[in-house]
Amino acid sequence: MTTITVQVDNEQNAVLLEKMLKALSFVEDVDIKNNVSGMVEEPKGSYKKLKKILDKTEAETLFTNIKNPSDWQKDLRDEWERNL
């Protein structure tokens, strides 16, 4: 038997690789070791960064002062045009 050690950059890719390896008929066992030592993983990509920020906020208090979304958005656009 031969053992191969692989390091993967994030947990999502590790899960994907684990599933792929387990699907192979000749792979006997997959052993996962998480070596993150107290470091916070920074999400990659704009979507993940925004999602991380939104997950930290309280959804009930988000945008509570907006009564009419169309008017609010129109006011934002007007403000942008005035600053040009």
Side-chain angles (χ1 to χ4, degrees), residues 40-66:
V40 176
E41 182 180 327
E42 184 67 29
K44 295 178 181 162
S46 299
Y47 171 78
K48 287 186 179 182
K49 287 179 183 179
L50 284 172
K51 182 168 179 1
K52 182 179 177 183
I53 291 168
L54 289 174
D55 287 345
K56 287 183 179 180
T57 62
E58 307 231 359
E60 302 84 34
T61 61
L62 198 59
F63 302 117
T64 55
N65 60 337
I66 299 172

Side-chain angles (χ1 to χ4, degrees), residues 8 11-24 27 29-33:
V8 183
E11 187 176 348
Q12 183 179 7
N13 290 340
V15 170
L16 178 61
L17 182 59
E18 178 185 10
K19 288 179 183 178
M20 291 170 51
L21 290 172
K22 286 182 176 181
L24 297 172
V27 174
D29 186 31
V30 178
D31 184 27
I32 305 294
K33 293 180 182 152

